[in-house]
Amino acid sequence: MSAVDPTTTRGGGTAVLNVPGPAGRRTKRRLVGVDAARGFALLGMVAVHTMPVWDEEAGRASLSWSLFAGHSAALFATLAGVSLAFLSGGRTPHEGRRLAGDRAGLVGRAAVIALVGFLVGFVAPPVNNILIYYGMFFLLAIPFLGLRIRHLLAASVLFAVLSPFLMQWSLEVLPAHVYGNPTLWNLVTEPVTVLSQLLLTGTYPALPYMSYLLAGLALGRMNLTSRKVQLWLVGVGAATALLAWTVSMVALLVFGVYERIWSATPWMSEEQIDSILVFGPEPSLPTTTLWWLTVPAPHSNTPAALFVSLGMAVFALGAFLLLARLIGKALTPLAAAGSMTFTLYTLHLLFLATGVYDLAPGFWFWMQLVVFGLLAVAWQRAVGQGPLEKLVARVSKGITRRVAARPPAESIR
């Protein structure tokens, strides 16, 4: 499970929200909680990739897997939507030429992130790289940048409910998921296979993941500096996750859905089905019955899994916004790491490609956290934005300014 949010803004990379100041002036208020939440997702991703997935002593999935598998990716995608909201006007979406500039800049942002992802594919890290998927997320988000909160939430729910059915259908008609980490060469030689993976058949398919991104975009249009809103996020997020998980479990265990899945997939044992419920599909769910879409397994991208992970992401965002009020300075290393996750995530993938971590997973997990925290704090204080974040910002802002400053076609003589 891997993820990153390369959409942080200026100001040392910390998420910044423009709010009205005295006499109508605009001021910048750092939302440390947003960066801390993103840093927490990075921590979870490092844990899932580095630590064992099975606890031999307890005889069950490890704590790191149970806490973060699938959920860290959802949190990153949701926070990516929040950052896109900040970049496109915050609580008041841009309109006209400014909105056109935002959309054009998002194309540049998607291209840079996807390019880095495709290049990382050449070193073949042992985990699925989400960067190329992020490029597709941002391209699909372009038409939604100008929408208001209620429309974004409605679109998020529609993607969560409908896209999993399209995903299951596509598994029988589109090329199979064969590349954990596609490269530019794969894109050139087998474009249909790679695009199918990015949209529907891969580990982080863009169409189901749009439910996270659009929900985050809606959250970013809210007043995230308000304690009332922060408490609302905690309550609604927890309720959503609990309700979705409960409905799924009741359907499976009380209303006989588990038996229907088993009878429709006779070549699978009960242990194999249970393994999918805990560890997720490899790489996709069976297509024997649509009842599979009731399972909440990590990376299954079913409606149940999407709503559980989305609820947990909303809860985490609200919780870290509240924590920032109480212990803001204590969150500095986490927030600093969260401000440059594009860079740190890429370094993490390159480190995993060496295979060194297999020798002592626990040691290398903590070593990565310490190095990332120290590096992020030092870099932020000395330079500001992370190197890859700065590259993305320069490309996207250059495009945005050029398009936004261009006069309408009818005014050109």
Side-chain angles (χ1 to χ4, degrees):
M1 194 207 69
S2 48
V4 60
D5 179 9
T7 61
T8 48
T9 60
R10 291 188 63 84
T14 303
V16 176
L17 180 63
N18 289 320
V19 297
R25 295 194 303 272
R26 305 297 292 184
T27 61
K28 288 186 176 181
R29 180 180 300 174
R30 294 179 184 273
L31 291 181
V32 175
V34 175
D35 281 339
R38 194 180 294 113
F40 180 69
L42 178 65
L43 179 155
M45 174 268 294
V46 173
V48 169
H49 286 171
T50 309
M51 299 292 285
V53 301
W54 184 257
D55 186 333
E56 293 289 350
E57 294 184 2
R60 59 172 181 265
S62 65
L63 180 62
S64 60
W65 180 267
S66 300
L67 288 177
F68 297 113
H71 306 314
S72 290
L75 179 56
F76 270 117
T78 303
L79 294 172
V82 172
S83 296
L84 289 184
F86 293 168
L87 293 170
S88 58
R91 296 174 64 186
T92 306
H94 291 159
E95 298 178 346
R97 300 307 304 172
R98 294 188 70 186
L99 178 58
D102 293 336
R103 286 170 168 162
L106 194 51
V107 174
R109 186 176 297 271
V112 173
I113 295 166
L115 176 61
V116 172
F118 280 121
L119 292 177
V120 168
F122 285 111
V123 303
V127 297
N128 291 315
N129 167 15
I130 202 175
L131 292 177
I132 54 173
Y133 293 90
Y134 255 92
M136 186 61 71
F137 297 167
F138 291 156
L139 290 179
L140 293 179
I142 289 173
F144 299 92
L145 278 187
L147 297 185
R148 301 287 177 170
I149 292 174
R150 63 180 180 274
H151 299 126
L152 289 167
L153 291 177
S156 173
V157 170
L158 286 176
F159 271 104
V161 172
L162 299 180
S163 59
F165 289 91
L166 181 61
M167 176 188 71
Q168 284 298 94
W169 168 82
S170 73
L171 295 175
E172 294 187 333
V173 297
L174 294 179
H177 176 187
V178 294
Y179 298 117
N181 294 290
T183 65
L184 284 174
W185 176 250
N186 299 138
L187 180 63
V188 172
T189 57
E190 297 184 80
V192 175
T193 298
V194 174
L195 291 176
S196 297
Q197 177 175 328
L198 297 183
L199 287 170
L200 287 166
T201 64
T203 305
Y204 311 102
L207 290 181
Y209 264 67
M210 284 301 291
S211 59
Y212 301 133
L213 194 79
L214 294 180
L217 195 53
L219 298 179
R221 300 283 184 227
M222 299 177 185
N223 181 11
L224 295 181
T225 61
S226 165
R227 186 191 301 270
K228 181 179 179 180
V229 171
Q230 294 164 3
L231 290 170
W232 179 87
L233 294 180
V234 169
V236 171
T240 300
L242 181 60
L243 178 62
W245 184 85
T246 301
V247 169
S248 176
M249 289 297 102
V250 169
L252 287 168
L253 304 178
V254 177
F255 290 103
V257 171
Y258 186 99
E259 286 73 17
R260 294 181 185 182
I261 290 174
W262 193 4
S263 63
T265 320
W267 62 87
M268 295 186 72
S269 66
E270 186 175 356
E271 289 74 18
Q272 289 174 312
I273 295 175
D274 290 343
S275 178
I276 289 178
L277 291 176
V278 174
F279 297 107
E282 286 290 343
S284 304
L285 289 172
T287 57
T288 52
T289 173
L290 289 178
W291 288 114
W292 277 108
L293 293 180
T294 63
V295 305
H299 298 299
S300 60
N301 300 308
T302 66
L306 292 171
F307 281 116
V308 168
S309 293
L310 178 57
M312 295 182 68
V314 173
F315 171 84
L317 174 59
F320 277 102
L321 288 170
L322 288 171
L323 281 175
R325 289 177 173 271
L326 302 174
I327 55 169
K329 289 187 177 180
L331 295 175
T332 296
L334 198 62
S339 74
M340 52 186 293
T341 47
F342 188 13
T343 297
L344 296 180
Y345 175 74
T346 303
L347 290 176
H348 170 67
L349 290 179
L350 296 177
F351 169 72
L352 292 180
T354 67
V356 172
Y357 69 99
D358 274 338
L359 301 176
F363 170 79
W364 286 112
F365 165 68
W366 289 108
M367 182 61 68
Q368 287 179 88
L369 294 191
V370 171
V371 170
F372 287 171
L374 293 176
L375 175 63
V377 171
W379 189 282
Q380 190 178 74
R381 292 178 176 176
V383 181
Q385 285 181 299
L388 290 181
E389 286 76 12
K390 183 169 290 187
L391 172 63
V392 169
R394 285 184 176 179
V395 171
S396 62
K397 287 183 178 180
I399 297 173
T400 297
R401 289 168 181 164
R402 184 168 299 181
V403 172
R406 185 182 303 164
E410 60 268 18
S411 66
I412 300 177
R413 300 295 183 183

